[in-house]
Amino acid sequence: MQQTKETNGAPRQNKMGTMPVPQLLLTMSLPMIISMLVQALYNVVDSMFVSQINENALTAVSLAFPVQNLMIAVASGTGVGVNALLSRSLGEKNYSQANKAANNCILLTALSYLVFALVGIFGSRLFFAAQTSDPQIVSYGFQYMSIICIFSFGLFFQVSMERLLQSTGLTFYTMITQGTGAIINIIFDPILIFGMFGFPKLGVAGAAAATVFGQIVAMCLGIYFNFRKNPEIKLSLNRMRFHGPTVKSIYMVGVPSILMMSIGSVMTFGMNKILLVFSSTAAAVFGVYFKLQSFFFMPVFGLNNGMVPIVAFNYGARDKKRILHTVRLSCIAAFVLMICGLITFNLIPDVLLGLFNASEDMLSIGCKALRTISLSYIFAGFCIVLGSVFQALGNGIYSLIVSVCRQLCVLLPAAWILAKVFGLDAVWWSFPIAEIASITVTLILFRRIYKNKIQPLNAPHI
């Protein structure tokens, strides 16, 4: 591919092609892992405060999760496409294409926000009414969802700014943006929910307000860091014009990623429908599980966020050895993190559920759920890492195939059958069953992509 550069000279040599891989992966991933752990802490603390209102409030926030996940899917999926294209372009020293990717990212982010703002205005009450007839849950859910959607510009631009920083190796700044946003969220949760220090008592709406406030602050920090601390890309209004080939390249990777993460929303919505047949407490347990599992999954996602630009950059530079070394270390680290989750959920599930003011009924359902679901963690780390490798190499469709197989073709049907035949306690076994199917398909597809894309690579260009 023809290599181009800006007229004012090429940016500095990128560390993703020169730094020793273990040190590079640690440098790229550790800030993201720390910020993701802070984000996980926010997720748990947020629900802990909401649970102090009552169980219906906790259930409402849990039922809103598919919409929040969908927003994150669109924002992050677009970011994955930008990340892969931008890092690959820098690896090829194609700086003009890198800048087009960055500026088109801003335009696509703005359009995504407008769509969800309209969803929040017109669809919030309908969404909850479709899931439950309890008027209190519907009321709580409407308050929460309308706020997080209408003010979601903070979320969308926070994610896009962080992806631009990650693409150029500046993950330390993403730790600052994510960490600051999450800490502000944690601080303002009790203040706005319970009406402290002269603020009005907003209840569930206060939890939503604290969430969007933290996101807006993180967005502002991300904008500042990209304009002042990121010399490898140039953002400006003059450059912000839609470029068809660039948008196509972004969404060739981004759309499968968006669909893959959106499938999680479909799965959660479907699982909530299955669980609500038994009780709203069962749905609340599922929501609590998703908050708790973030302590182990979010660091793996942080690891992936550090890994993807390394793999994409070195694929552009045709450095097979660095790609394989990065993937191998990432798989080992992800496995260790997930085993920690397996041990924790099996040893102290009652303690974890107690953080959410759990009733005896919730404890009875939840302890069995946590112990059973966590068995899937044995394989989950490998699936997550290899799925991100597919995206980094421009084969996001493979990640989509794995996600569809796991969540729609196996998990939901298995949960429905187990619920009908054996009852509530058996529903949770659908997660280990689905993960076994996932690792099988993942390994088949990785073997294929290794043969077609990684194995033929030559020595890196000098």
Side-chain angles (χ1 to χ4, degrees), residues 15 41 43 69 162 171 209-210 232 256 295 326 330 338 361 401 418 444:
K15 65 182 180 182
L41 178 63
N43 287 336
N69 188 66
E162 288 170 354
T171 54
E232 294 204 69
F295 273 114
T326 302
S330 298
M338 299 311 296
D361 190 24
I401 291 171
L418 292 170
I444 291 171

Side-chain angles (χ1 to χ4, degrees), residues 229-249:
K229 306 291 184 179
N230 196 352
E232 294 204 69
I233 59 173
K234 294 176 173 59
L235 299 173
S236 70
L237 291 175
N238 292 333
R239 295 171 183 261
M240 288 182 190
R241 299 186 183 92
F242 280 112
H243 183 248
T246 298
V247 172
K248 181 179 178 181
S249 296

Side-chain angles (χ1 to χ4, degrees), residues 280-290 353 361-362 365-366 369-370 428:
S280 62
T281 301
V285 165
F286 188 53
V288 165
Y289 161 73
F290 260 98
L353 292 165
D361 190 24
M362 182 178 284
I365 297 171
L370 296 185
W428 315 117

